Amino acid sequence: MTKNTFHLVSLGCAKNTVDSDSMAQLLLRDGYRSMDDPDKAAVLIVNTCGFIGPAKEESYRVLGDLAKSKRNGQVLIAAGCLTQRYGVEVAQKVQGIDGILGTRRWMDIVQVVREVRKGPRPEPVYHLPETATVVGSDENDALRVSVAGGSAYIKIADGCRRPCAFCAIPLIKGTAVSRPVESILHEAQTLRDAGVRELILIAQDTTDYGHDFGLKDGLAVLLEQLTDSVPDMDWIRVMYAYPGYVTDRLVEVMATRKQILPYLDMPLQHAHPKTLYRMKRPSNIDWVHKTLAKMRAAIPELAIRTTFIVGYPGETDEEFQALYDFVNEIRFDRAGAFPFSFEPGTTSTPLGDPVHASVKEERFARLMELQQSISLQVNQSYVGKTLDVLVEGFNDGISIGRSYRDAPEVDGLVIIEGKASVGDIVPVRITGAMAYDLTGVLAQKLITL
Ligand code: SF4
């Protein structure tokens, strides 16, 4: 074990990755080094996810494994959504945790590490939130960024004020708090200067950006200012749009500002109005049809991603069939699905979890099989075309990257024959398609041959 070293495991979504990288930056600044091997690190940190049942199980499993293998002198800190939501209960369930941090207290990591390293104590050190943190309001602002290859996530808000009946995020994170525009612009400029090629805007609901400032069409306003402020940023990608809030102005900004990728991630969760009503989600499916048609007309190359929940309480065969037919009709570039998992404390509590697990699994498998065939067909339509690809890695004669159609971690990859430099955006002639990924060759290489 090496003194002043840490090993950090980041679980869950991109929003957690931002907090993990911010904690790592603070520790690096304090003289710590990051270690890949947990056995060699003095401080073990798990940034947990508590979003749904399987994510909670994974968080407990990783914490439990590290607690069991903890050696003399090592300390274990649990941070993130699970601890934010369950606090003391996490330390009771996993013996051996020395420190507990909530999601809005990630910036206390150095202080917590110092406290827990003073020596054994009867109780863990708790840094849990009493109040919402206004993201970007303090000196740690510049750290709220996660850089990977040529891409960086920027969190534009934290928390959520939507009432979705299945979701624990508002319980965990509280209501939406937007980050000041100037702070986002400043960070974007810093990232541009550091060579970042793709900015990925994230929040629980990006289309709600600025509502707490009284800003109308806040996301569109932010995108206009961002594209003016960093005109040489190659790609700007927007994630997590809420149905009903993709406005005409937002569509226009996306269609006319070339840096904004023609990519829309809009988690729809279901397509039957009755299911959506029980979910306390916007249930106007006509709006979805009209908005997607409008966007496809304004942005012909638009790639659309969404996610669905199957087996929501009360989901009848007819309701599931409506979802299946909708997916078949819209032909999303990308669609993910989750079998419903009940979260105690959410407003779906009175509904319980009545759809049998085998029914959920069967519906999930049917929907994913359909989507895989659609995704394959859509991917095949790109064979012979040339796409710009942001290169993320090279190994053994093969480069790997993403096109505008692929958000990191959730979408596909472009596998390129030959060597391209990591961080470059290169034209790739697509030569093959699979359900999720594309294969291709460097277009420049073809020209020189
Ligand atoms: S929009 Fe709904 S599902 Fe998404 S974080 Fe907010 S409450 Fe949860």
Coordinates of all heavy atoms in Angstrom, one line a residue, residues 72-158:
N72 N -5.1 -3.2 7.0 CA -4.7 -2.2 8.1 C -4.2 -0.9 7.5 O -3.4 -0.9 6.6 CB -3.6 -2.8 8.9 CG -4.2 -3.4 10.2 OD1 -5.4 -3.3 10.4 ND2 -3.4 -4.1 10.9
G73 N -4.8 0.2 7.9 CA -4.3 1.5 7.4 C -5.1 2.0 6.2 O -5.1 3.2 5.9
Q74 N -5.9 1.1 5.6 CA -6.7 1.6 4.5 C -8.0 2.1 5.0 O -8.5 1.6 6.0 CB -7.0 0.4 3.5 CG -6.0 0.1 2.5 CD -6.4 -0.9 1.5 OE1 -7.0 -1.9 1.8 NE2 -6.1 -0.7 0.2
V75 N -8.6 3.1 4.3 CA -9.9 3.7 4.7 C -10.8 3.6 3.5 O -10.4 3.6 2.3 CB -9.8 5.1 5.2 CG1 -9.1 5.2 6.5 CG2 -9.2 6.0 4.1
L76 N -12.1 3.4 3.8 CA -13.1 3.2 2.7 C -14.2 4.3 2.9 O -14.8 4.5 4.0 CB -13.8 1.9 2.9 CG -15.0 1.6 2.0 CD1 -14.6 1.6 0.5 CD2 -15.6 0.2 2.3
I77 N -14.4 5.1 1.8 CA -15.4 6.2 1.8 C -16.5 5.9 0.7 O -16.2 5.5 -0.4 CB -14.7 7.5 1.4 CG1 -13.7 7.8 2.6 CG2 -15.7 8.6 1.3 CD1 -12.8 9.0 2.3
A78 N -17.7 6.0 1.1 CA -18.9 5.8 0.2 C -19.4 7.2 -0.1 O -19.7 8.0 0.8 CB -19.9 4.9 0.8
A79 N -19.6 7.5 -1.4 CA -20.1 8.8 -1.8 C -21.3 8.5 -2.8 O -21.5 7.3 -3.1 CB -19.1 9.6 -2.5
G80 N -22.0 9.5 -3.2 CA -22.9 9.4 -4.3 C -24.4 9.2 -3.9 O -24.8 9.5 -2.8
C81 N -25.2 8.8 -4.9 CA -26.6 8.8 -4.8 C -27.1 7.8 -3.6 O -28.1 8.1 -2.9 CB -27.3 8.3 -6.1 SG -27.0 9.4 -7.4
L82 N -26.5 6.7 -3.5 CA -26.9 5.7 -2.5 C -26.8 6.3 -1.1 O -27.7 6.2 -0.3 CB -26.1 4.4 -2.6 CG -26.6 3.3 -1.8 CD1 -27.8 2.6 -2.4 CD2 -25.5 2.2 -1.6
T83 N -25.6 6.9 -0.9 CA -25.4 7.5 0.5 C -26.3 8.7 0.7 O -26.7 9.0 1.8 CB -23.9 7.8 0.7 OG1 -23.5 8.6 -0.4 CG2 -23.1 6.6 0.7
Q84 N -26.5 9.5 -0.4 CA -27.3 10.7 -0.3 C -28.7 10.2 0.2 O -29.4 10.9 1.0 CB -27.4 11.4 -1.6 CG -28.4 12.5 -1.7 CD -27.7 13.8 -1.4 OE1 -26.5 13.9 -1.4 NE2 -28.5 14.8 -1.1
R85 N -29.2 9.1 -0.4 CA -30.5 8.7 -0.1 C -30.7 7.9 1.2 O -31.6 8.1 1.9 CB -31.0 7.8 -1.3 CG -32.5 7.5 -1.2 CD -33.0 6.8 -2.4 NE -34.4 6.5 -2.3 CZ -35.0 5.6 -3.0 NH1 -34.3 5.0 -4.0 NH2 -36.2 5.3 -2.9
Y86 N -29.7 7.0 1.5 CA -29.9 6.1 2.6 C -29.0 6.5 3.8 O -29.1 5.9 4.8 CB -29.7 4.7 2.2 CG -30.7 4.3 1.2 CD1 -30.5 4.2 -0.2 CD2 -32.0 4.0 1.6 CE1 -31.4 3.8 -1.1 CE2 -33.0 3.6 0.7 CZ -32.7 3.5 -0.7 OH -33.7 3.2 -1.6
G87 N -28.0 7.3 3.6 CA -27.1 7.8 4.7 C -26.6 6.8 5.6 O -25.9 5.8 5.2
V88 N -27.1 6.9 6.9 CA -26.6 6.0 7.9 C -26.8 4.5 7.6 O -26.0 3.7 8.0 CB -27.3 6.4 9.3 CG1 -26.9 5.5 10.4 CG2 -27.0 7.8 9.6
E89 N -27.9 4.2 6.9 CA -28.3 2.8 6.6 C -27.2 2.1 5.8 O -26.9 0.9 6.0 CB -29.6 2.9 5.8 CG -30.3 1.6 5.8 CD -31.5 1.7 4.9 OE1 -32.3 2.7 5.0 OE2 -31.7 0.8 4.1
V90 N -26.5 2.9 5.0 CA -25.4 2.3 4.2 C -24.3 1.8 5.1 O -23.8 0.7 4.9 CB -24.9 3.3 3.1 CG1 -23.7 2.7 2.3 CG2 -26.0 3.8 2.2
A91 N -23.9 2.7 6.1 CA -22.8 2.3 7.0 C -23.3 1.1 7.9 O -22.4 0.3 8.3 CB -22.5 3.5 7.8
Q92 N -24.6 1.0 8.1 CA -25.0 -0.1 9.0 C -25.0 -1.4 8.2 O -24.7 -2.5 8.7 CB -26.5 0.2 9.5 CG -26.5 1.2 10.6 CD -27.9 1.7 10.8 OE1 -28.8 1.5 10.0 NE2 -28.1 2.4 11.9
K93 N -25.3 -1.3 6.9 CA -25.3 -2.5 6.0 C -23.9 -3.0 5.7 O -23.7 -4.2 5.5 CB -26.1 -2.2 4.7 CG -27.6 -2.4 4.9 CD -28.2 -2.5 3.5 CE -29.7 -2.8 3.6 NZ -30.3 -2.7 2.3
V94 N -23.0 -2.1 5.5 CA -21.7 -2.5 5.1 C -20.7 -2.1 6.2 O -20.4 -0.9 6.4 CB -21.2 -1.8 3.8 CG1 -19.8 -2.2 3.4 CG2 -22.2 -2.0 2.7
Q95 N -20.3 -3.1 7.0 CA -19.4 -2.8 8.1 C -18.0 -2.5 7.5 O -17.5 -3.2 6.6 CB -19.3 -4.0 9.0 CG -20.6 -4.3 9.7 CD -21.0 -3.2 10.6 OE1 -20.2 -2.6 11.4 NE2 -22.3 -2.8 10.5
G96 N -17.4 -1.4 8.0 CA -16.0 -1.1 7.5 C -15.9 0.2 6.7 O -14.9 0.6 6.3
I97 N -17.1 0.9 6.6 CA -17.1 2.2 5.9 C -16.6 3.2 6.9 O -17.1 3.3 8.0 CB -18.5 2.5 5.3 CG1 -18.8 1.6 4.2 CG2 -18.5 4.0 4.8 CD1 -20.2 1.8 3.6
D98 N -15.6 4.0 6.5 CA -15.1 5.1 7.4 C -15.7 6.5 7.2 O -15.6 7.3 8.1 CB -13.5 5.1 7.2 CG -12.9 3.8 7.5 OD1 -12.8 3.4 8.6 OD2 -12.6 3.1 6.5
G99 N -16.1 6.7 6.0 CA -16.7 8.0 5.7 C -17.8 7.9 4.7 O -17.9 7.1 3.8
I100 N -18.8 8.9 4.9 CA -20.0 8.9 4.0 C -20.2 10.3 3.5 O -20.3 11.2 4.3 CB -21.2 8.4 4.8 CG1 -21.1 7.0 5.3 CG2 -22.5 8.7 4.1 CD1 -21.9 6.0 4.6
L101 N -20.3 10.4 2.2 CA -20.5 11.7 1.5 C -21.8 11.7 0.7 O -22.0 10.7 0.0 CB -19.4 12.0 0.5 CG -18.1 12.6 1.0 CD1 -17.1 12.4 -0.1 CD2 -18.3 14.1 1.2
G102 N -22.6 12.7 0.7 CA -23.7 12.8 -0.1 C -23.4 13.4 -1.5 O -22.3 13.9 -1.7
T103 N -24.3 13.3 -2.5 CA -24.0 13.8 -3.8 C -23.6 15.3 -3.9 O -22.8 15.7 -4.6 CB -25.2 13.6 -4.8 OG1 -26.3 14.1 -4.2 CG2 -25.4 12.2 -5.2
R104 N -24.3 16.0 -3.0 CA -24.1 17.5 -3.1 C -22.9 17.9 -2.2 O -22.7 19.1 -2.0 CB -25.3 18.2 -2.7 CG -26.5 18.1 -3.6 CD -27.7 18.9 -3.2 NE -28.9 18.6 -3.9 CZ -29.3 19.3 -5.0 NH1 -28.6 20.3 -5.5 NH2 -30.4 19.0 -5.6
R105 N -22.2 16.9 -1.6 CA -21.1 17.2 -0.8 C -19.8 16.6 -1.3 O -18.8 16.4 -0.5 CB -21.3 16.7 0.7 CG -22.5 17.4 1.3 CD -22.4 18.9 1.5 NE -21.3 19.2 2.5 CZ -21.5 19.3 3.8 NH1 -22.7 19.2 4.3 NH2 -20.5 19.5 4.6
W106 N -19.7 16.3 -2.6 CA -18.5 15.7 -3.2 C -17.3 16.6 -2.9 O -16.2 16.1 -2.8 CB -18.7 15.4 -4.7 CG -19.0 16.7 -5.4 CD1 -20.2 17.2 -5.7 CD2 -18.0 17.6 -6.0 NE1 -20.1 18.3 -6.4 CE2 -18.8 18.6 -6.6 CE3 -16.7 17.7 -6.0 CZ2 -18.2 19.7 -7.2 CZ3 -16.1 18.7 -6.6 CH2 -16.8 19.7 -7.2
M107 N -17.5 17.9 -2.8 CA -16.4 18.9 -2.7 C -15.7 18.8 -1.4 O -14.7 19.4 -1.1 CB -16.8 20.3 -3.1 CG -17.9 20.9 -2.1 SD -19.5 20.1 -2.3 CE -20.1 20.6 -3.9
D108 N -16.3 18.0 -0.4 CA -15.7 17.8 0.9 C -14.7 16.6 1.0 O -14.3 16.3 2.0 CB -16.8 17.6 2.0 CG -17.8 18.7 2.1 OD1 -17.5 19.8 1.5 OD2 -18.8 18.5 2.7
I109 N -14.4 16.0 -0.2 CA -13.7 14.8 -0.2 C -12.3 14.9 0.6 O -12.0 14.0 1.4 CB -13.5 14.2 -1.6 CG1 -12.9 12.8 -1.6 CG2 -12.7 15.1 -2.5 CD1 -13.7 11.8 -1.0
V110 N -11.6 16.0 0.3 CA -10.3 16.1 1.0 C -10.4 16.2 2.5 O -9.7 15.5 3.2 CB -9.5 17.3 0.4 CG1 -8.3 17.6 1.2 CG2 -9.2 17.1 -1.1
Q111 N -11.4 16.9 2.9 CA -11.6 17.1 4.3 C -12.0 15.7 5.0 O -11.5 15.4 6.0 CB -12.8 18.1 4.5 CG -12.9 18.7 5.8 CD -14.2 19.5 5.9 OE1 -14.7 20.0 4.8 NE2 -14.7 19.8 7.1
V112 N -12.9 15.0 4.3 CA -13.3 13.7 4.8 C -12.1 12.7 4.9 O -11.9 12.0 5.8 CB -14.5 13.1 3.9 CG1 -14.8 11.7 4.4 CG2 -15.7 13.9 4.1
V113 N -11.3 12.7 3.8 CA -10.1 11.9 3.8 C -9.2 12.2 5.0 O -8.7 11.3 5.7 CB -9.4 12.0 2.4 CG1 -8.0 11.4 2.5 CG2 -10.2 11.3 1.3
R114 N -9.0 13.5 5.2 CA -8.1 13.9 6.3 C -8.7 13.4 7.6 O -8.0 12.8 8.5 CB -7.9 15.4 6.3 CG -7.0 15.9 5.3 CD -6.8 17.4 5.4 NE -6.1 17.8 4.2 CZ -6.1 19.0 3.7 NH1 -6.8 20.0 4.3 NH2 -5.4 19.4 2.6
E115 N -10.0 13.6 7.8 CA -10.6 13.2 9.1 C -10.5 11.7 9.3 O -10.1 11.2 10.4 CB -12.1 13.6 9.1 CG -12.3 15.1 9.3 CD -13.7 15.5 9.2 OE1 -14.6 15.0 10.0 OE2 -14.0 16.4 8.4
V116 N -10.9 10.9 8.3 CA -10.9 9.4 8.5 C -9.5 8.9 8.6 O -9.3 7.8 9.3 CB -11.7 8.7 7.4 CG1 -13.1 9.1 7.4 CG2 -11.0 8.8 6.0
R117 N -8.5 9.5 8.1 CA -7.1 9.0 8.2 C -6.4 9.3 9.5 O -5.3 8.9 9.7 CB -6.3 9.5 7.0 CG -6.8 8.9 5.7 CD -5.8 9.1 4.6 NE -4.7 8.1 4.7 CZ -3.6 8.2 4.0 NH1 -3.4 9.2 3.2 NH2 -2.6 7.3 4.2
K118 N -7.2 10.1 10.4 CA -6.6 10.4 11.7 C -6.5 9.1 12.5 O -5.8 9.1 13.5 CB -7.4 11.4 12.4 CG -7.1 12.8 11.9 CD -8.0 13.8 12.6 CE -7.9 15.2 12.0 NZ -9.0 16.1 12.4
G119 N -7.3 8.1 12.2 CA -7.2 6.9 13.0 C -8.6 6.3 13.2 O -9.6 7.0 12.9
P120 N -8.7 5.1 13.7 CA -10.0 4.4 13.9 C -10.9 5.2 14.7 O -10.5 5.9 15.7 CB -9.6 3.1 14.5 CG -8.2 2.9 14.4 CD -7.6 4.3 14.2
R121 N -12.2 5.2 14.4 CA -13.2 5.9 15.2 C -14.4 5.0 15.3 O -14.6 4.1 14.4 CB -13.5 7.2 14.5 CG -13.8 7.1 13.0 CD -14.3 8.3 12.3 NE -13.4 9.4 12.4 CZ -13.8 10.6 13.1 NH1 -15.0 10.6 13.6 NH2 -13.1 11.6 13.2
P122 N -15.2 5.2 16.3 CA -16.4 4.3 16.5 C -17.5 4.5 15.4 O -18.2 3.5 15.1 CB -17.0 4.7 17.9 CG -16.4 6.1 18.2 CD -15.1 6.2 17.4
E123 N -17.6 5.7 14.9 CA -18.6 6.0 13.9 C -18.0 6.5 12.6 O -16.9 7.2 12.7 CB -19.5 7.1 14.4 CG -20.5 6.7 15.4 CD -21.7 6.0 14.8 OE1 -22.2 6.5 13.8 OE2 -22.0 4.8 15.3
P124 N -18.6 6.3 11.4 CA -18.0 6.9 10.2 C -18.2 8.4 10.3 O -19.0 8.9 11.1 CB -18.9 6.4 9.1 CG -19.6 5.2 9.6 CD -19.7 5.4 11.1
V125 N -17.4 9.1 9.5 CA -17.5 10.6 9.3 C -18.6 10.8 8.3 O -18.6 10.2 7.2 CB -16.2 11.2 8.8 CG1 -16.4 12.7 8.4 CG2 -15.1 11.0 9.8
Y126 N -19.6 11.6 8.7 CA -20.8 11.8 7.8 C -20.7 13.2 7.2 O -20.6 14.2 8.0 CB -22.1 11.7 8.5 CG -22.4 10.3 8.8 CD1 -22.2 9.8 10.1 CD2 -22.9 9.4 7.9 CE1 -22.5 8.5 10.5 CE2 -23.2 8.1 8.2 CZ -23.0 7.6 9.5 OH -23.3 6.3 9.8
H127 N -20.7 13.4 5.9 CA -20.9 14.7 5.2 C -22.1 14.5 4.3 O -22.0 14.2 3.1 CB -19.7 15.1 4.4 CG -18.6 15.7 5.3 ND1 -18.0 16.9 5.0 CD2 -18.1 15.3 6.4 CE1 -17.1 17.2 5.9 NE2 -17.1 16.2 6.8
L128 N -23.3 14.7 4.9 CA -24.5 14.6 4.2 C -25.2 16.0 4.0 O -24.9 16.9 4.8 CB -25.5 13.6 4.8 CG -25.0 12.2 4.8 CD1 -25.8 11.3 5.7 CD2 -25.0 11.6 3.4
P129 N -26.0 16.2 3.0 CA -26.4 17.6 2.7 C -27.6 18.0 3.6 O -28.4 17.3 4.0 CB -27.0 17.4 1.3 CG -27.5 16.0 1.3 CD -26.6 15.2 2.1
E130 N -27.5 19.3 4.0 CA -28.7 19.9 4.6 C -29.4 20.8 3.6 O -30.6 20.9 3.6 CB -28.3 20.8 5.8 CG -28.2 20.0 7.1 CD -26.8 19.3 7.3 OE1 -25.8 20.1 7.1 OE2 -26.8 18.1 7.5
T131 N -28.6 21.3 2.7 CA -29.2 22.2 1.7 C -28.7 21.9 0.3 O -27.7 21.3 0.2 CB -28.8 23.7 2.0 OG1 -27.3 23.7 2.0 CG2 -29.3 24.2 3.3
A132 N -29.5 22.3 -0.7 CA -29.1 22.1 -2.1 C -27.9 23.0 -2.4 O -27.8 24.1 -1.9 CB -30.3 22.5 -3.0
T133 N -27.0 22.4 -3.2 CA -25.9 23.2 -3.6 C -26.1 23.8 -4.9 O -26.6 23.2 -5.8 CB -24.7 22.2 -3.8 OG1 -24.5 21.5 -2.6 CG2 -23.4 23.0 -4.2
V134 N -25.9 25.1 -5.1 CA -26.1 25.7 -6.4 C -24.8 25.4 -7.1 O -23.7 25.9 -6.8 CB -26.3 27.3 -6.3 CG1 -26.4 27.9 -7.6 CG2 -27.5 27.5 -5.4
V135 N -24.9 24.6 -8.1 CA -23.8 24.1 -8.9 C -23.1 25.3 -9.5 O -23.7 26.1 -10.1 CB -24.2 23.1 -10.0 CG1 -23.0 22.4 -10.5 CG2 -25.3 22.2 -9.5
G136 N -21.8 25.3 -9.3 CA -21.0 26.3 -10.0 C -20.9 27.7 -9.3 O -20.5 28.6 -9.8
S137 N -21.3 27.6 -8.0 CA -21.3 28.9 -7.3 C -20.0 29.1 -6.5 O -19.9 30.1 -5.9 CB -22.5 29.0 -6.4 OG -22.4 28.0 -5.4
D138 N -19.1 28.2 -6.5 CA -18.0 28.3 -5.7 C -16.7 28.0 -6.4 O -16.7 27.7 -7.6 CB -18.1 27.5 -4.4 CG -18.2 26.0 -4.7 OD1 -17.7 25.6 -5.8 OD2 -18.7 25.3 -3.9
E139 N -15.6 28.0 -5.7 CA -14.3 27.9 -6.4 C -14.1 26.5 -7.0 O -13.2 26.3 -7.8 CB -13.1 28.2 -5.4 CG -13.2 27.2 -4.2 CD -12.0 27.4 -3.3 OE1 -10.9 26.9 -3.7 OE2 -12.1 28.0 -2.3
N140 N -14.9 25.5 -6.5 CA -14.8 24.2 -7.1 C -15.4 24.0 -8.5 O -15.4 23.0 -9.1 CB -15.4 23.1 -6.2 CG -14.6 23.0 -4.9 OD1 -13.4 23.0 -4.9 ND2 -15.3 23.1 -3.8
D141 N -16.1 25.1 -8.9 CA -16.8 25.1 -10.1 C -16.0 24.5 -11.3 O -16.5 23.7 -12.0 CB -17.2 26.6 -10.4 CG -17.9 26.7 -11.7 OD1 -18.7 25.8 -12.0 OD2 -17.6 27.7 -12.4
A142 N -14.8 25.0 -11.4 CA -14.0 24.6 -12.6 C -13.7 23.1 -12.6 O -13.3 22.5 -13.6 CB -12.7 25.3 -12.6
L143 N -14.0 22.4 -11.4 CA -13.7 21.0 -11.4 C -14.9 20.2 -11.9 O -14.8 19.0 -12.0 CB -13.4 20.6 -9.9 CG -12.2 21.3 -9.4 CD1 -12.1 21.0 -7.9 CD2 -10.9 20.7 -10.1
R144 N -16.1 20.8 -12.0 CA -17.3 20.0 -12.3 C -17.3 19.6 -13.8 O -18.1 20.0 -14.6 CB -18.5 20.8 -12.0 CG -18.6 21.0 -10.5 CD -20.0 21.5 -10.1 NE -20.9 20.3 -10.3 CZ -21.2 19.4 -9.4 NH1 -20.6 19.4 -8.3 NH2 -22.0 18.4 -9.7
V145 N -16.3 18.8 -14.1 CA -16.2 18.5 -15.5 C -15.5 17.1 -15.6 O -14.7 16.8 -14.7 CB -15.4 19.5 -16.3 CG1 -14.0 19.7 -15.7 CG2 -15.2 19.2 -17.7
S146 N -15.9 16.3 -16.5 CA -15.3 15.0 -16.7 C -14.7 14.9 -18.1 O -15.4 15.0 -19.0 CB -16.3 13.9 -16.4 OG -15.7 12.7 -16.7
V147 N -13.4 14.8 -18.2 CA -12.8 14.8 -19.5 C -12.4 13.4 -19.8 O -11.7 12.7 -19.0 CB -11.6 15.7 -19.5 CG1 -10.9 15.7 -20.9 CG2 -11.9 17.1 -19.1
A148 N -12.8 12.9 -21.0 CA -12.3 11.5 -21.4 C -12.0 11.6 -22.9 O -12.8 11.9 -23.7 CB -13.5 10.5 -21.2
G149 N -10.7 11.4 -23.2 CA -10.3 11.6 -24.6 C -10.5 13.0 -25.0 O -10.2 14.0 -24.3
G150 N -11.2 13.2 -26.2 CA -11.5 14.5 -26.6 C -12.9 15.0 -26.2 O -13.4 16.1 -26.7
S151 N -13.5 14.3 -25.2 CA -14.9 14.7 -24.8 C -14.9 15.1 -23.4 O -14.1 14.7 -22.6 CB -15.8 13.5 -24.9 OG -16.1 13.2 -26.2
A152 N -15.8 16.0 -23.0 CA -16.0 16.4 -21.6 C -17.5 16.6 -21.4 O -18.2 17.2 -22.2 CB -15.3 17.7 -21.4
Y153 N -17.9 16.1 -20.2 CA -19.3 16.3 -19.8 C -19.3 17.7 -19.0 O -18.4 17.9 -18.2 CB -19.7 15.3 -18.8 CG -20.0 13.9 -19.4 CD1 -19.0 12.9 -19.2 CD2 -21.1 13.6 -20.1 CE1 -19.3 11.6 -19.7 CE2 -21.4 12.4 -20.6 CZ -20.4 11.4 -20.4 OH -20.6 10.1 -20.9
I154 N -20.4 18.4 -19.2 CA -20.6 19.6 -18.3 C -22.0 19.4 -17.8 O -23.0 19.3 -18.5 CB -20.5 20.9 -19.1 CG1 -19.1 21.1 -19.6 CG2 -20.9 22.1 -18.2 CD1 -18.9 22.5 -20.1
K155 N -22.1 19.5 -16.4 CA -23.4 19.4 -15.8 C -23.9 20.8 -15.8 O -23.3 21.8 -15.2 CB -23.1 19.0 -14.3 CG -24.2 18.1 -13.8 CD -23.9 17.9 -12.3 CE -23.9 16.4 -12.0 NZ -23.8 16.2 -10.5
I156 N -25.1 21.0 -16.3 CA -25.7 22.4 -16.4 C -26.7 22.6 -15.3 O -27.1 23.8 -15.1 CB -26.3 22.7 -17.8 CG1 -27.4 21.7 -18.1 CG2 -25.2 22.7 -18.9 CD1 -28.2 22.2 -19.4
A157 N -27.1 21.6 -14.7 CA -28.0 21.7 -13.5 C -28.0 20.4 -12.7 O -27.5 19.4 -13.2 CB -29.5 22.0 -14.0
D158 N -28.5 20.4 -11.5 CA -28.5 19.2 -10.7 C -29.9 19.1 -10.0 O -30.4 20.1 -9.6 CB -27.4 19.2 -9.7 CG -27.0 17.8 -9.3 OD1 -27.5 16.9 -9.9 OD2 -26.2 17.7 -8.4

